[in-house]
Amino acid sequence: MTQIEPDRIADTQVGSAPTFRADPPPAEPPRRTAATTATKAVKRPGDRIFEGLSTGSGTLILIILALVAAFLVAQGIPAFTSAVDDLPFGNTLRYVLPLAFGTVWAAFLAMVMGVPVAIAIALFISHFAPRRLAAGLGYVIDLLAAVPSVVYGLWGISVLGPLVQPVYLWLTENLGFIPLFAGPASGTGRTIFTAALVLAVMILPIVTALSREVFLQTPRLHEEAALALGATRWEMITMAVLPFARPGIISASMLGLGRALGETMAVALVLSPSAIISFALLQSTNPSTIAANIALSFPEAYGLGTNQLIATGLVLFVITLAVNSVARAVINRRKEFSGAN
């Protein structure tokens, strides 16, 4: 209905009907044409350069990964197709099986010991520590990632091994009936458990740094709502922070697991390896890992022996790919928390 203002009523003659002047209808907004849309869609040079670099980097990573897989497959096939008598290390499957077990076993022990400690440190830095202490402690934890793996290995054999060796003796004497602590205990402390302790320290900075950032991304309203309902700080963390950060914690743990699976020098220095499959943690005979075995055996390998070592690297590649695929499937179940991914 058209609105009529009183001051726009004009009487031309006495007794005649008043004449009304209505406001003009509002002008229609300009329609978007193809020309205006094209003008707005034009990107700045910086945006185009950044988009190209990002796309190229992502494509390059996939190409490098495909080339690595192709190299491992091409060089590892002769180790599986050649006659057993021609292989320096014997049957390839029997050769790689103890190494794969040692790799998974050491990484599992490191994750069991390292991830809970890393999450606790991240929670302390993000929600409990004073601001100044949290900043300093965060820097110290991040500096652990800059320590070379050789230094970790030397620390493991010269400091950690002799330090925990009396503990190993006590465990074998008092808990030796448990297969994990079966004796005799190693006299030097260079066991699979010591190697797992070193790996747990090595994955701490990765898991701690990523978990801390994820915890800080928790919506403030979620935390304040839990506290307003009467929850304690720990209850707020269990109800609001940890559920939101679960995908990020899984991602951080998988990165730490990748470090533990592929670690070479630290494990090679600490372990006294043997080609066995054993769950005993404190004995002097321990299963080796794939990466450490490649580092120790490659300088003297030749011919099909080199192909066998590359075949063990292919097995490690498959193990890592399978673990990451499982982790990605778990994370995708909680896509609503994509900000923590």
Side-chain angles (χ1 to χ4, degrees):
M1 180 180 296
T2 304
Q3 184 178 1
I4 304 173
E5 298 180 2
D7 57 354
R8 297 198 178 189
I9 301 175
D11 294 332
T12 55
Q13 296 178 358
V14 179
S16 63
T19 303
F20 301 96
R21 291 185 298 172
D23 291 337
E28 295 182 359
R31 297 182 179 179
R32 292 185 178 181
T33 61
T36 58
T37 304
T39 303
K40 293 183 179 180
V42 173
K43 297 181 179 179
R44 297 179 181 179
D47 294 336
R48 292 197 298 268
I49 294 174
F50 179 76
E51 183 179 358
L53 290 176
S54 302
T55 305
S57 300
T59 305
L60 182 61
I61 289 296
L62 295 178
I63 293 175
I64 293 176
L65 184 63
L67 291 176
V68 170
F71 168 77
L72 292 175
V73 171
Q75 296 295 323
I77 285 179
F80 295 100
T81 57
S82 301
V84 177
D85 296 336
D86 298 334
L87 298 175
F89 301 109
N91 185 277
T92 302
L93 292 178
R94 294 180 180 178
Y95 175 65
V96 73
L97 185 59
L99 299 176
F101 168 80
T103 301
V104 176
W105 182 230
F108 171 77
L109 293 174
M111 297 294 291
V112 169
M113 293 183 289
V115 171
V117 176
I119 294 175
I121 295 174
L123 283 174
F124 176 75
I125 294 175
S126 60
H127 287 82
F128 291 95
R131 182 172 300 179
R132 294 183 179 179
L133 178 61
L137 185 59
Y139 293 144
V140 172
I141 296 297
D142 293 340
L143 283 176
L144 291 176
V147 179
S149 59
V150 176
V151 176
Y152 280 111
L154 294 175
W155 170 72
I157 62 176
S158 61
V159 178
L160 184 60
L163 184 64
V164 298
Q165 200 273 336
V167 180
Y168 292 168
L169 287 176
W170 185 89
L171 289 174
T172 54
E173 292 175 359
N174 296 274
L175 300 176
F177 58 91
I178 301 176
L180 292 177
F181 306 125
S186 172
T188 60
R190 299 175 60 180
T191 66
I192 189 70
F193 191 73
T194 305
L197 285 173
V198 174
L199 291 177
V201 175
M202 295 180 70
I203 68 175
L204 272 181
I206 299 175
V207 182
T208 300
L210 295 178
S211 299
R212 181 185 65 215
E213 295 302 322
V214 172
F215 293 154
L216 293 175
Q217 291 180 10
T218 305
R220 180 66 62 181
L221 291 177
H222 293 184
E223 299 180 0
E224 294 178 352
L227 294 174
L229 292 174
T232 63
R233 180 176 296 185
W234 173 245
E235 290 173 342
M236 178 269 293
I237 290 175
T238 56
M239 290 188 299
V241 178
L242 292 180
F244 175 84
R246 188 176 302 166
I249 294 174
I250 296 175
S251 299
S253 301
M254 290 304 103
L255 288 177
L257 179 59
R259 176 73 185 274
L261 288 173
E263 182 52 44
T264 304
M265 292 309 300
V267 179
L269 291 174
V270 173
L271 278 182
S272 299
S274 302
I276 61 171
I277 297 178
S278 174
F279 288 95
L281 301 177
L282 311 178
Q283 297 179 1
S284 57
T285 54
N286 305 277
S288 183
T289 64
I290 293 177
N293 180 73
I294 292 176
L296 295 174
S297 304
F298 200 85
E300 300 178 357
Y302 63 92
L304 289 176
T306 303
N307 295 112
Q308 283 189 285
L309 293 178
I310 296 177
T312 60
L314 175 62
V315 173
L316 178 59
F317 182 85
V318 173
I319 292 174
T320 306
L321 183 62
V323 169
N324 283 276
S325 299
V326 172
R328 179 55 54 185
V330 173
I331 294 173
N332 286 339
R333 295 175 58 185
R334 298 181 64 85
K335 291 183 178 180
E336 66 272 17
F337 290 151
S338 59
N341 291 344

